[in-house]
Amino acid sequence: MADFIGDELRGSRFERVDLSGAEFRASDLSGARFRGVGMSGVVMRGVELVNVDIHGEITNVTINGVDIGPLINAELDRRHPGRVKMRPTTPAGFRDAWDIVERLWEGTVQRAHRLDPALLHESVDGEWSFVETLRHLVFATDAWVRRAVLGDPAPWDPLDLPWDEMPDTPGIPRDRKVRPSLDTVLELRRDRMSTVREVLDGLTDESLDGHTQPIEVPGWPPPSRSYPVRECLLCILNEEWEHRLYAERDLAALEARNP
């Protein structure tokens, strides 16, 4: 353990650092940026939380005695009526949810096509570009559907893009410098989305309640484990839903920047 008392650490960068159990007292975190960090079990007392922007999984978060998780979910459901459909419980519900995903993404892609193709490789506020977002969704499908559900130990395409904080894993590509065209990535996306459609079309109550077969080859999700099929498919719906909202947000910024 190390103590930093009265030290000037302004502008410091902490990456892949274990700060679990750390204690911050009379510290200034103004302007700090957190990305891909685990904050489960964090306790804050006497904090000033003003002009803060948080995006993430909010569960069992109590502020001034109020659990804000249900409030946030209710408001998001109100803003996005299709969001509640992303929590299906039956095979038919999963198919309906995928119908919504396909329809919404079609509109988002049409919006992207109206921009200068070069802008689709631009990052907004440090987030993935539009093309990188699509590449990440290819990776998510390869991981949770083609590998976990369908049992392909190494389903990766060279354009697959894992999330930034994922440790480098043998066999999984991560090329942040390549700049494929939108059409190239969309062709790959159509292939992966059709795979999800085939899986959902064949889904039954029995298979939905089943578990995947363990895979011993290194990759993602981690090997030597079995996963509930239901959770794998819910993961894909969540990835598709959330990343489309991020993409829409960033496309709006690009449009404003380049009318």
Side-chain angles (χ1 to χ4, degrees), residues 160-201:
D160 277 20
L161 186 62
W163 73 98
D164 290 344
E165 294 78 23
M166 175 179 171
D168 288 337
T169 304
I172 299 182
R174 187 207 301 272
D175 189 345
R176 289 297 301 270
K177 295 181 180 179
V178 66
R179 291 169 64 91
S181 68
L182 177 60
D183 287 340
T184 296
V185 177
L186 286 177
E187 181 179 358
L188 190 59
R189 270 280 283 166
R190 283 190 288 268
D191 176 78
R192 297 310 194 261
M193 293 184 82
S194 67
T195 297
V196 177
R197 170 59 68 186
E198 291 174 6
V199 169
L200 297 183
D201 283 348

Side-chain angles (χ1 to χ4, degrees), residues 6-167:
D7 291 321
E8 176 60 68
L9 297 177
R10 182 176 301 181
S12 297
R13 179 182 178 89
F14 300 90
E15 186 169 343
R16 303 188 188 282
V17 175
D18 187 354
L19 294 175
S20 57
E23 181 176 350
F24 300 88
R25 297 180 66 89
S27 299
D28 187 355
L29 293 174
S30 300
R33 298 179 69 88
F34 300 86
R35 182 183 178 91
V37 299
M39 302 187 74
S40 298
V42 171
V43 177
M44 301 181 184
R45 295 287 186 268
V47 300
E48 296 180 4
L49 208 60
V50 181
N51 297 329
V52 175
D53 185 14
I54 299 175
H55 288 269
E57 182 178 351
I58 309 296
T59 305
N60 295 329
V61 177
T62 301
I63 297 181
N64 294 337
V66 178
D67 183 358
I68 65 171
L71 303 178
I72 293 174
N73 275 325
E75 176 60 17
L76 290 175
D77 287 347
R78 185 191 67 80
R79 294 184 183 185
H80 309 287
R83 186 174 184 265
V84 68
K85 298 286 189 178
M86 297 300 114
R87 303 189 288 271
T89 58
T90 66
F94 275 92
R95 289 187 280 271
D96 290 343
W98 195 248
D99 287 341
I100 296 173
V101 166
E102 290 180 328
R103 174 174 54 80
L104 291 176
W105 265 110
E106 182 178 359
T108 299
V109 169
Q110 289 176 357
R111 185 179 185 181
H113 270 302
R114 293 194 288 267
L115 286 171
D116 181 340
L119 294 178
L120 303 181
H121 293 284
E122 283 197 16
S123 169
V124 176
D125 196 26
E127 300 292 339
W128 280 329
S129 70
F130 186 78
V131 169
E132 287 173 330
T133 295
L134 298 183
R135 292 175 55 198
H136 174 69
L137 291 174
V138 170
F139 164 78
T141 303
D142 283 347
W144 291 107
V145 177
R146 299 181 75 213
R147 176 177 161 93
V149 176
L150 297 180
D152 184 345
W156 324 113
D157 185 273
L159 290 179
D160 277 20
L161 186 62
W163 73 98
D164 290 344
E165 294 78 23
M166 175 179 171

